[in-house]
């Protein structure tokens, strides 16, 4: 009897490396998160979202792919609040890893929109009888500034806002102002009254208001 030869018709073994290569990659943990967050925002309203998710929604437009939740939380941790994030300067924003020129500009755009909305609310009615709107406006503008600013709100005879101008930027605890410059600008604008505003960076959210009227 002939000795059995080596088996020639053995079934070919599968190429395990090729099979692993063709296997679908597992989806990242954040897959579908953007759609789910948008759906929740539409269903429950933006007011129901916590600050980091509201910031996330804005970051979606600047960073089209990837998980931006960690970046949103880093920004809030760095600047303390959503208002702090929006009030930070572009250079300060770029100290957070993942924030470049484009994203810093997008965040400042949101801040400017908030300022203009608040300014419009003040300008539609007499400022002196609308202290709540006035305080909301100046807090939006100044509460998170890292340096002292001296601003002047120029009013007409009906106490409506003509202009809001920064007369000087100082240090963390000092911002000099020159009365003659305030008066000169008031005359140029034909203002009947002014509200002098300056912030105190060393006392968070502390703002001083002084009102002066003249003829």
């Amino acid at each position: 009897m002939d000795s059995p030869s080596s088996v020639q018709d053995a079934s070919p073994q599968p190429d395990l490396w090729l099979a692993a290569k063709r296997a679908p990659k597992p989806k990242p943990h954040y897959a579908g998160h953007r759609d789910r967050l948008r759906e929740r925002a539409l269903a429950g309203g933006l007011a129901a979202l916590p600050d980091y998710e509201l910031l996330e929604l804005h970051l979606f437009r600047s960073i089209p792919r990837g998980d931006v939740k960690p970046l949103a939380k880093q920004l809030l941790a760095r600047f303390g609040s959503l208002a702090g994030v929006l009030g930070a300067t572009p250079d300060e924003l770029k100290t957070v890893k993942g924030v470049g020129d484009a994203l810093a500009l997008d965040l400042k755009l949101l801040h400017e929109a908030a300022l203009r909305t608040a300014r419009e609310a003040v300008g539609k009615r007499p400022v002196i009888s609308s202290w709540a709107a006035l305080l909301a406006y100046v807090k939006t503008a100044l509460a998170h500034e890292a340096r002292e600013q001296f601003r002047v709100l120029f009013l007409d005879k009906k106490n409506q806002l003509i202009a809001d101008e920064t007369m000087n930027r100082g240090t963390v605890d000092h911002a000099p102002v020159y009365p003659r410059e305030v008066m000169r600008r008031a005359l140029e604008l034909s203002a009947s009254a002014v509200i002098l505003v300056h912030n105190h960076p060393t006392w968070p959210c502390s703002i001083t208001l002084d009102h002066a009227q003249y003829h």
Side-chain angles (χ1 to χ4, degrees):
M1 179 182 293
D2 295 333
S3 61
S5 61
S6 59
V7 178
Q8 300 295 326
D9 60 347
S11 299
Q13 295 297 313
D15 189 330
L16 298 179
W17 182 85
L18 184 61
K21 186 177 180 181
R22 290 176 177 173
K25 294 181 179 179
K27 292 183 178 180
H29 67 88
Y30 54 83
H33 173 68
R34 294 189 176 213
D35 290 337
R36 291 191 296 271
L37 182 53
R38 289 189 183 103
E39 289 170 3
R40 285 202 293 113
L42 289 171
L46 294 173
L49 298 179
D51 285 352
Y52 79 89
E53 289 188 334
L54 197 66
L55 187 54
E56 268 191 272
L57 280 172
H58 186 67
L59 295 178
F60 287 170
R61 283 142 183 78
S62 305
I63 304 174
R65 286 179 293 277
D67 185 11
V68 297
K69 182 189 291 185
L71 179 56
K73 290 187 173 182
Q74 287 171 27
L75 284 165
L76 290 170
R78 168 68 175 80
F79 298 106
S81 67
L82 184 58
V85 173
L86 300 183
T89 67
D91 286 341
E92 289 169 339
L93 290 168
K94 287 187 289 185
T95 62
V96 178
K97 186 178 180 181
V99 179
D101 289 333
L103 179 52
L105 178 61
D106 286 348
L107 290 169
K108 295 310 298 179
L109 180 84
L110 193 60
H111 184 232
E112 181 62 23
L115 281 178
R116 295 190 183 194
T117 301
R119 187 181 299 133
E120 183 179 351
V122 171
K124 283 183 176 179
R125 355 176 232 177
V127 172
I128 301 307
S129 61
S130 307
W131 282 105
L134 174 63
L135 288 171
Y137 169 61
V138 296
K139 283 183 178 180
T140 299
L142 289 173
H144 298 279
E145 283 287 337
R147 296 187 301 169
E148 278 206 12
Q149 284 189 21
F150 191 94
R151 298 169 80 112
V152 182
L153 279 59
F154 298 92
L155 312 177
D156 63 14
K157 290 182 179 179
K158 296 181 180 179
N159 282 338
Q160 290 183 319
L161 186 66
I162 298 173
D164 166 18
E165 298 184 358
T166 301
M167 302 298 288
N168 200 3
R169 286 184 171 88
T171 63
V172 293
D173 59 0
H174 180 65
V177 62
Y178 303 99
R180 64 179 179 274
E181 293 298 320
V182 176
M183 293 301 298
R184 179 186 61 79
R185 187 59 178 148
L187 290 171
E188 289 176 353
L189 294 171
S190 299
S192 297
V194 295
I195 294 178
L196 311 178
V197 184
H198 78 275
N199 60 321
H200 305 275
T202 53
W203 291 76
C205 297
S206 177
I207 295 174
T208 299
L209 299 175
D210 293 300
H211 176 252
Q213 195 158 4
Y214 56 90
H215 301 284

